[in-house]
Amino acid sequence: MIKNIPNKMTDKDLMHYIAKVCPRRIDFLYLRMDFKNGCNVGYAFVNFISVEDLVLFAKSRLGQKWNMFSSEKVLQMSYANYQGKEALVEKFKNSCIMDEREAWRPKIFYSDPGPEQGLPEPFPSATHQRRKERSSHNRGDLFVPGNCSLPTQNLLNAPFGPRRFDSSPHRRERERNHRRQRTTTTRE
């Protein structure tokens, strides 16, 4: 993940910024957007074609000010939960984010060596419609309004209330326990 991105930056701005150091060396990019105000939320999922490309970019840009949009932000990076182009494509192809405007969707680029490397590649179609519907249902207020969002009233009346970001270190354990409880209850 590339973090602390100036909020006015677009995905094209970010691709150009990366290309100054590593031209045509990424194969996935998703700059997360706030659909209410049309600005990014400060981080992006980026997959570099090779570890060497990642290291080159990190050595060149990590800890430096962006020097864009009058921002004082300093570029930060961290590992994301999903690693690799295939895992990222699998995560997002069944997401309702793919129904949003083109500029706000994840983008993939050809990875294989050759003349197309780093050029835009068509994003695969959804393979699980139910997963896409769940994605729409679980969006939360950050994504309202959108083509596949639910009205805010429905989100507030959802079985578990509106979704909120949980950054605590025990989040995954709570999620696993919740899934176990749901599975046990369903079997009984």
Side-chain angles (χ1 to χ4, degrees):
M1 286 177 65
I2 296 178
K3 303 190 312 186
N4 229 13
I5 298 171
N7 299 101
K8 300 279 187 217
M9 186 176 260
T10 66
D11 62 342
K12 288 182 179 166
D13 295 331
L14 183 57
M15 286 186 280
H16 181 70
Y17 185 81
I18 294 168
K20 286 180 180 178
V21 177
C22 301
R24 295 174 55 174
R25 300 301 297 165
I26 62 170
D27 56 15
F28 183 93
L29 182 131
Y30 174 44
L31 178 61
R32 185 82 181 268
M33 300 299 289
D34 180 338
F35 302 149
K36 279 186 179 178
N37 65 23
C39 293
N40 77 66
V41 297
Y43 66 92
F45 297 97
V46 178
N47 194 70
F48 288 85
I49 293 175
S50 74
V51 174
E52 293 79 17
D53 299 322
L54 168 66
V55 170
L56 175 63
F57 180 79
K59 283 182 177 179
S60 175
R61 301 291 191 188
L62 191 59
Q64 291 187 1
K65 285 187 182 179
W66 289 86
N67 295 322
M68 302 172 83
F69 305 103
S70 302
S71 175
E72 291 295 314
K73 290 184 174 184
V74 172
L75 186 142
Q76 297 177 353
M77 296 173 74
S78 69
Y79 288 99
N81 290 335
Y82 292 88
Q83 294 291 314
K85 179 181 178 181
E86 293 78 19
L88 288 161
V89 167
E90 189 61 33
K91 169 157 179 54
F92 288 106
K93 75 179 179 183
N94 294 305
S95 169
C96 63
I97 187 65
M98 298 310 294
D99 294 332
E100 290 297 335
R101 63 176 81 165
E102 183 76 28
W104 293 352
R105 295 180 199 165
K107 293 168 180 47
I108 59 174
F109 309 91
Y110 290 103
S111 308
D112 294 333
E116 290 188 327
Q117 186 179 53
L119 296 178
E121 178 181 356
F123 212 95
S125 301
T127 54
H128 295 94
Q129 192 59 36
R130 299 274 295 165
R131 206 180 287 168
K132 193 169 184 179
E133 290 167 6
R134 272 196 315 270
S135 169
S136 174
H137 179 74
N138 292 331
R139 279 181 91 145
D141 284 338
L142 178 63
F143 302 102
V144 175
N147 294 339
C148 58
S149 66
L150 297 173
T152 304
Q153 293 165 322
N154 290 347
L155 291 171
L156 296 175
N157 296 326
F160 302 104
R163 294 191 47 117
R164 291 184 172 81
F165 180 70
D166 181 358
S167 62
S168 69
H170 304 291
R171 173 185 57 104
R172 285 190 178 174
E173 185 61 33
R174 280 195 304 276
E175 289 173 354
R176 265 189 297 247
N177 289 338
H178 178 70
R179 280 194 297 275
R180 279 190 210 118
Q181 287 174 337
R182 261 195 337 222
T183 305
T184 307
T185 307
T186 312
R187 289 180 189 158
E188 293 174 352

